[in-house]
Amino acid sequence: MRIFVTGATGFIGSAIVRELIDAGYEVLGLARSEKGADSLAAAGADVHRGSLEDLESLRSGAAASDGVIHTAFIHNFNNYEPAVEADRRAIQTLGTALEGSGRPLIVTSGLALMVPGRVATEEDAPSPDFPRKSEQTVMEFAARGVRASVVRLPFSVHGDSDHGFVPRLIQIARERGVSAYIGDGLNRWPAVHRLDAALLYRLVMEKGSAGAAYHGIRDEGVPTNEIAEVIGRRLSLSVVSISQEQTAEHFGWIGLFFGMEVVASSALTREALGWRPTHVGLLDDLERGTYFETEKSPAALQI
């Protein structure tokens, strides 16, 4: 089988490419630059030049494949609405190219704002208040002859070369001279290792049902004060609590997310697909120390 992967050179997408190739699939990876094309070729994937804004490149890539995994997203929080619209158009283009074929289309989404106050499950609908509409857009194609499904990822998809939320927290701690959490720090974040997430995408490709949502969750909820404590210990910094009023000044844009309580289960996903995460959890990954070797810029965030 030949699988078209968008975001194929990213932190999550590159792990999916490797997982698919190792399992015997042919991979057609979307690349918008020479550097991206070279990395895909080195991984053993075929290169498809284009971008999320180049809808014809998306259409032709999907049409030439037996299935599509869509992980690409323009992570620009300073200009979020155009990024959301570009994602919506991309999913519509991919879905239309697969319409009536029964081929799989797997789209990536997040867990923010889903069900405040309780554990989110795969049966919960996405929040209508959240601006990103990836899930709602792809599910329209489940009734149009596409095996459309969604993988919901947590705030922290971690592992070597992570450049998402946790590296940004480490960078802020270095800049501020303290490792902070908000209030009592008992609010929680779910997490998963990128290699476990990559396996999940392959299993959804092979076994997933049309119209289904799957959760890439290993740690259902890690208290944010424990994240701050590991960061403080590894950097030899004091660990402090800051108030809600101080959050924006101390953390900037990431403070909104670091203060959220998001807890999610993957029990139904594990039962349906036989998915079993085998890699370390978030805190153990942080304790390994590779996160503290270099500073990284934020990207590849799933919200």
Side-chain angles (χ1 to χ4, degrees):
M1 289 182 66
R2 183 178 179 86
I3 309 302
F4 181 42
V5 181
T6 74
T9 61
F11 176 63
I12 298 167
S14 60
I16 295 170
V17 169
R18 174 49 51 202
E19 173 69 31
L20 291 171
I21 290 175
D22 287 348
Y25 289 89
E26 294 181 14
V27 174
L28 181 66
L30 184 69
R32 62 182 178 181
S33 68
E34 288 296 334
K35 181 179 179 181
D38 290 344
S39 68
L40 281 172
D46 294 328
V47 176
H48 185 76
R49 296 303 295 263
S51 67
L52 283 188
E53 295 92 344
D54 182 355
L55 299 183
E56 175 54 28
S57 72
L58 299 180
R59 187 205 64 75
S60 60
S65 301
D66 299 303
V68 177
I69 295 176
H70 175 55
T71 68
F73 189 81
I74 301 169
H75 295 282
N76 184 352
F77 293 101
N78 295 318
N79 203 21
Y80 196 61
E81 288 187 6
V84 167
E85 178 59 19
D87 183 54
R88 186 190 65 80
R89 289 197 303 266
I91 294 169
Q92 286 185 326
T93 299
L94 295 168
T96 300
L98 299 178
E99 194 167 349
S101 69
R103 286 176 284 172
L105 170 59
I106 303 167
V107 163
T108 306
S109 187
L111 291 155
L113 304 180
M114 279 192 61
V115 285
R118 67 171 175 83
V119 177
T121 77
E122 294 87 338
E123 294 178 339
D124 290 310
S127 170
D129 298 325
F130 195 70
R132 185 171 172 179
K133 304 301 181 184
S134 309
E135 185 166 344
Q136 294 93 323
T137 304
V138 74
M139 290 308 184
E140 296 174 3
F141 289 95
R144 294 164 60 180
V146 179
R147 183 153 59 86
S149 56
V150 63
V151 172
R152 295 170 179 162
L153 294 178
F155 285 158
S156 180
V157 180
H158 56 91
D160 291 344
S161 301
D162 182 4
H163 42 263
F165 280 117
V166 170
R168 177 57 184 152
L169 293 174
I170 293 170
Q171 182 182 4
I172 290 169
R174 284 189 168 117
E175 293 169 351
R176 297 289 184 176
V178 295
S179 179
Y181 56 86
I182 301 166
D184 59 15
L186 296 180
N187 63 296
R188 293 164 291 176
W189 274 14
V192 71
H193 195 281
R194 70 190 285 252
L195 299 182
D196 286 324
L199 171 60
L200 175 57
Y201 278 91
R202 177 169 68 81
L203 293 176
V204 175
M205 175 67 62
E206 294 170 349
K207 306 178 184 180
S209 300
Y214 299 96
H215 281 189
I217 303 295
R218 182 208 186 270
D219 299 324
E220 290 194 357
V222 181
T224 56
N225 61 0
E226 295 185 16
I227 297 172
E229 286 166 5
V230 176
I231 293 172
R233 183 167 61 255
R234 297 294 308 191
L235 296 179
S236 299
L237 297 174
S238 297
V239 180
V240 301
S241 167
I242 64 171
S243 68
Q244 289 286 348
E245 292 73 21
Q246 296 172 299
T247 298
E249 190 277 332
H250 184 91
F251 286 109
W253 62 266
I254 200 175
L256 171 65
F257 305 105
F258 199 45
M260 286 185 180
E261 164 81 352
V262 181
V263 185
S265 168
S266 60
L268 296 178
T269 294
R270 297 179 191 223
E271 179 182 355
L273 303 177
W275 178 63
R276 299 291 183 270
T278 59
H279 292 82
V280 295
L282 175 58
L283 294 179
D284 287 340
D285 207 0
L286 279 170
E287 291 284 12
R288 290 171 56 241
T290 56
Y291 271 88
F292 303 93
E293 293 174 355
T294 58
E295 295 188 28
K296 300 158 186 171
S297 59
L301 313 173
Q302 298 305 324
I303 59 172

